[in-house]
Amino acid sequence: MLRKSLVSLLAASTLMMAADKLNGAGATFPAPLYYDWAYTYEKTTGTKVNYQSIGSGGGIKQVKSRIVDFGASDEPLQSDVLKKDKLMQFPAAIGSIVVVYNIPGIKDNEIKLKNEIVGDIFLGKITKWNDPKIKADNPNVNLPDKEITVVHRSDGSGTTFNFTYYLSEVNKEWKEKVGTGKAVDWPVGLGGKGNEGVTNYVKQTPFSIGYVEQAYKRQNNLSGATVTTASGKWVEATEDNAKASAKYAKWSKDGDFYQILALQPGDNSYPIVAGTFILLPEEKADMNKDVVKFFDNSFKNGDKSAIELGYIPLPEETKNLIRSYWKDKGIY
Amino acid sequence: MKYMMDTLFENLTRFLALLVLVVLVAVFVVLYNNAEPAIEKYGLSFVTNEKWAPNMNIFGGFPAILGSVLSTLIAMLLATPIAIGIAIFLSEIAPAKLKTSFGVSIELLAAIPSVIYGMWGLFYFAPVVREIFGGNGIGLLTGGFILAVMIFPFIAAITRDSMNTTPDILKESAYALGATKWDVIKDVVIPYAKAGVIGSVILALGRAIGETMAVTFVIGNVHQIPSLITDATTSIPVTLANEFNEAESKLHYASLFYLALLLFAISFIVIAFAKFYFLRKVRKAK
């Protein structure tokens, strides 16, 4: 409680200085991207954007209690929830979640896992790498006779929300037993804190499998599995395949851009993609204008770094839709 | 004038001492108030419920409580004999030169921040445990090991200090009666230093049961009852560190506070019991 009031005191004192500093907090999933955007923005405009990667749940909580200027979440909120807490919402980028593994001697994309099999592994039904079900799709890979160590998130997480949403859609048993959520009762495995924690555990544990955001996979040279599209075709977690998936997103201002992007149709659509969202407190018009300026600037100049980091920038028409949403709300 | 200063000073110290009680009560009140929805819903069955599924709004504290107790137990069992061995060597056996250099390194070990032990544990200790004990190297045993490494310098340093307070005249008299070194250590030094040894073990216990960061790195962070000693599990402080920021539903939040309240109660009971039972025994013996 004391900490909370201290934080809000700090936030209040920075509020008075207004435009030269913006405070945001939330999802770890887009954090590398926001850091990059903030760095460029400060260099070009002198305005500092301070983003704390504390997790989607934390971001929602902090913007609800008005501690930060903007919150970030990978789990979009429905319009009625937004209305209740007087919040606005728009997407900032799209990312993909990769099923990563650490099997000594087996490289990136060498292992193919059908979506349903991914579910069986995370359920603990498939316990060894040389299980006939995995072997059937990987006849030429020398799969070891070793126990699979499942690694998942130990904290509440938007990445987990999107991943468990995907598992619930592709695996019936998962849906019945575990379900979708930012934190679930994992049937098996180890829990790492944050995308970083899962990355570390996977790197440290031979024969493990986990799920992380694409940027973390790239920066740490993890190996990712080839999975299947909604219609069952093999698909790798590449930029093009994630883009193909993003194309199908039907964004709309009416639902405050509420949209879960997993399992889009199309032959090359990578199945586990997710939008990442920004939440703004409705009543702080001046501050919102400053925040919107930052994102508008990043939409204009930040696509290149988004791609480099492994994210998919929003398509131009989506950006324009967001701009008109801002205009409707009187903050652009 | 002097008289007034005296009363002033007396009252000041009394006030400072009262602060301890105020803080204790304040902590309890806040924990209890925030935990109330969970206490109302689950009552004491929270302690024995095994399932923890935030997305279904089901919360049971048994795995976390068990993990706390077991990891602390492993740590104490490993650390106490090692630490007492070190202390005996340093106070009775080591030559003066070694005494200082060993003594300083022990104190240095005790001063290392816990997060460093956690990182070292994950990158160095986990693979070693995996090689020797099987499993995946991350779990209850590694957590217990790391805790043991963290607390043994603590116990060793205090035990050594209290052994050093044994009056030489006692030891010399024992030697004069024909006692060997072993006899002196066993029958003079250890009984004399007993209170200090037990005190240091109690303090270390307090540190181990509340340790968060180092354990978070290596315990595996899952709400499950370990069936093997190498299995992943969680502990109360680890659960709080992992989930507090993200707890959105009221019941989740309250359940975390309930866990905190239980941790508060457990450490309070353990320390109170240890203090009253062991230390009283020691004092009586004297």
Side-chain angles (χ1 to χ4, degrees):
Chain A
M1 234 41 210
L2 184 67
R3 207 178 118 235
K4 226 178 188 173
S5 56
L6 262 177
V7 172
S8 53
L9 206 78
L10 276 174
S13 64
T14 48
L15 265 181
M16 289 169 205
M17 290 184 278
D20 52 313
K21 198 174 177 195
L22 304 172
N23 287 303
T28 53
F29 176 89
L33 179 63
Y34 294 165
Y35 291 150
D36 187 273
W37 282 355
Y39 177 73
T40 325
Y41 193 62
E42 194 188 348
K43 265 203 317 199
T44 50
T45 64
T47 304
K48 205 176 171 123
V49 182
N50 174 22
Y51 183 74
Q52 291 176 41
S53 135
I54 57 169
S56 296
I60 294 172
K61 220 156 82 183
Q62 294 212 347
V63 75
K64 267 186 190 170
S65 48
R66 306 301 197 245
I67 292 170
V68 289
D69 303 326
F70 67 91
S73 168
D74 302 323
E75 183 189 3
L77 299 181
Q78 310 257 22
S79 287
D80 50 326
V81 180
L82 290 168
K83 211 164 269 162
K84 205 184 81 207
D85 291 300
K86 297 201 171 55
L87 293 171
M88 298 180 267
Q89 171 177 272
F90 61 88
I94 294 166
S96 39
I97 298 164
V98 190
V99 178
V100 292
Y101 54 80
N102 172 358
I103 309 173
I106 297 183
K107 290 197 247 359
D108 195 18
N109 277 316
E110 263 190 69
I111 290 194
K112 294 176 173 175
L113 299 171
K114 277 188 193 130
N115 293 340
E116 202 190 336
I117 304 276
V118 176
D120 285 349
I121 293 176
F122 277 85
L123 271 171
K125 274 172 72 189
I126 294 180
T127 57
K128 288 205 164 173
W129 280 109
N130 64 350
D131 190 284
K133 275 183 168 169
I134 302 181
K135 255 192 160 157
D137 294 321
N138 299 279
N140 303 320
V141 184
N142 186 16
L143 290 161
D145 179 24
K146 294 280 185 185
E147 297 272 338
I148 302 175
T149 302
V150 169
V151 183
H152 52 74
R153 291 285 289 269
S154 61
D155 48 344
S157 142
T159 313
T160 299
F161 170 80
N162 284 297
F163 186 67
T164 51
Y165 177 88
Y166 151 82
L167 289 182
S168 298
E169 292 295 305
V170 297
N171 192 307
K172 237 191 211 147
E173 201 176 329
W174 182 274
K175 193 171 198 165
E176 280 158 19
K177 277 195 182 157
V178 188
T180 306
K182 288 206 293 284
V184 297
D185 184 21
W186 295 94
V188 288
L190 305 174
K193 190 162 160 50
N195 269 304
E196 308 87 329
V198 173
T199 305
N200 272 333
Y201 271 4
V202 170
K203 273 173 103 171
Q204 284 300 307
T205 318
F207 311 108
S208 58
I209 190 168
Y211 59 95
V212 292
E213 209 284 322
Q214 173 79 263
Y216 290 87
K217 182 227 166 203
R218 278 200 205 172
Q219 281 163 17
N220 295 286
N221 286 321
L222 299 173
S223 305
T226 300
V227 292
T228 46
T229 63
S231 54
K233 294 204 169 61
W234 294 114
V235 62
E236 293 181 8
T238 60
E239 184 198 326
D240 287 342
N241 294 340
K243 254 188 188 160
S245 189
K247 229 175 38 202
Y248 288 94
K250 293 178 204 68
W251 301 107
S252 124
K253 286 195 284 183
D254 295 338
D256 297 283
F257 299 97
Y258 180 89
Q259 174 90 261
I260 294 169
L261 298 180
L263 295 158
Q264 297 292 339
D267 284 348
N268 312 311
S269 297
Y270 183 72
I272 334 170
V273 291
T276 184
F277 298 81
I278 298 295
L279 298 163
L280 296 177
E282 239 164 28
E283 75 284 355
K284 292 187 185 165
D286 289 336
M287 186 48 91
N288 286 340
K289 277 181 188 161
D290 289 329
V291 175
V292 158
K293 240 182 242 160
F294 164 62
F295 283 101
D296 188 39
N297 190 61
S298 304
F299 283 170
K300 278 179 196 144
N301 311 314
D303 284 5
K304 214 182 118 218
S305 53
I307 292 168
E308 270 165 16
L309 285 168
Y311 299 88
I312 305 300
L314 295 169
E316 209 47 48
E317 57 269 36
T318 310
K319 287 180 186 168
N320 286 330
L321 198 66
I322 294 170
R323 288 186 182 112
S324 90
Y325 174 79
W326 291 338
K327 234 174 229 157
D328 295 350
K329 302 275 181 189
I331 54 173
Y332 181 64
Chain B
M1 196 60 205
K2 202 154 191 209
Y3 182 63
M4 208 183 84
M5 280 301 281
D6 266 5
T7 33
L8 217 84
F9 189 69
E10 257 180 51
N11 283 324
L12 179 71
T13 50
R14 184 171 297 136
F15 168 75
L16 292 176
L18 269 176
L19 266 185
V20 176
L21 288 182
V22 171
V23 170
L24 204 65
V25 171
V27 170
F28 179 82
V29 167
V30 166
L31 289 180
Y32 186 84
N33 278 347
N34 282 291
E36 215 167 4
I39 295 174
E40 244 164 53
K41 167 130 195 224
Y42 295 115
L44 274 180
S45 70
F46 182 79
V47 179
T48 51
N49 286 351
E50 292 173 22
K51 196 174 171 74
W52 182 278
N55 63 326
M56 298 169 185
N57 233 3
I58 301 173
F59 300 96
F62 188 61
I65 295 166
L66 187 71
S68 279
V69 172
L70 288 181
S71 60
T72 308
L73 199 69
I74 292 172
M76 298 313 294
L77 287 178
L78 289 171
T80 314
I82 294 175
I84 291 179
I86 293 170
I88 291 174
F89 178 75
L90 284 180
S91 77
E92 300 304 318
I93 298 170
K97 260 189 201 164
L98 276 183
K99 262 182 202 179
T100 31
S101 58
F102 269 97
V104 170
S105 5
I106 289 283
E107 277 150 22
L108 268 178
L109 269 182
I112 293 178
S114 63
V115 64
I116 293 172
Y117 279 112
M119 290 163 75
W120 175 72
L122 176 60
F123 287 94
Y124 176 79
F125 229 69
V128 172
V129 171
R130 180 162 61 224
E131 284 299 308
I132 300 175
F133 296 94
N136 41 40
I138 287 159
L140 181 61
L141 186 64
T142 319
F145 272 146
I146 285 296
L147 280 177
V149 175
M150 285 181 60
I151 58 175
F152 87 75
F154 204 68
I155 306 179
I158 300 178
T159 302
R160 177 205 55 190
D161 290 345
S162 62
M163 283 180 172
N164 280 341
T165 59
T166 317
D168 285 340
I169 195 155
L170 281 186
K171 287 195 262 178
E172 278 157 16
S173 319
Y175 282 123
L177 288 173
T180 60
K181 195 154 223 168
W182 168 240
D183 291 330
V184 172
I185 292 169
K186 180 168 62 100
D187 294 327
V188 179
V189 178
I190 291 183
Y192 192 86
K194 220 175 192 173
V197 178
I198 292 169
S200 71
V201 170
I202 294 170
L203 281 175
L205 185 72
R207 185 171 182 199
I209 207 165
E211 177 49 41
T212 313
M213 269 333 288
V215 185
T216 307
F217 274 92
V218 295
I219 203 166
N221 310 319
V222 280
H223 290 272
Q224 74 172 8
I225 293 160
S227 48
L228 292 171
I229 199 167
T230 48
D231 277 357
T233 182
T234 187
S235 75
I236 297 176
V238 164
T239 304
L240 298 182
N242 271 315
E243 298 181 25
F244 197 72
N245 257 334
E246 292 278 339
E248 259 187 280
S249 85
K250 204 171 180 181
L251 195 60
H252 192 183
Y253 193 72
S255 300
L256 291 173
F257 267 103
Y258 199 175
L259 276 181
L261 185 68
L262 287 169
L263 180 63
F264 185 80
I266 291 171
S267 8
F268 193 80
I269 291 167
V270 166
I271 288 173
F273 175 78
K275 249 193 128 118
F276 283 104
Y277 184 73
F278 288 114
L279 288 185
R280 183 181 289 170
K281 235 181 174 178
V282 172
R283 285 198 192 108
K284 255 189 199 156
K286 262 184 202 166

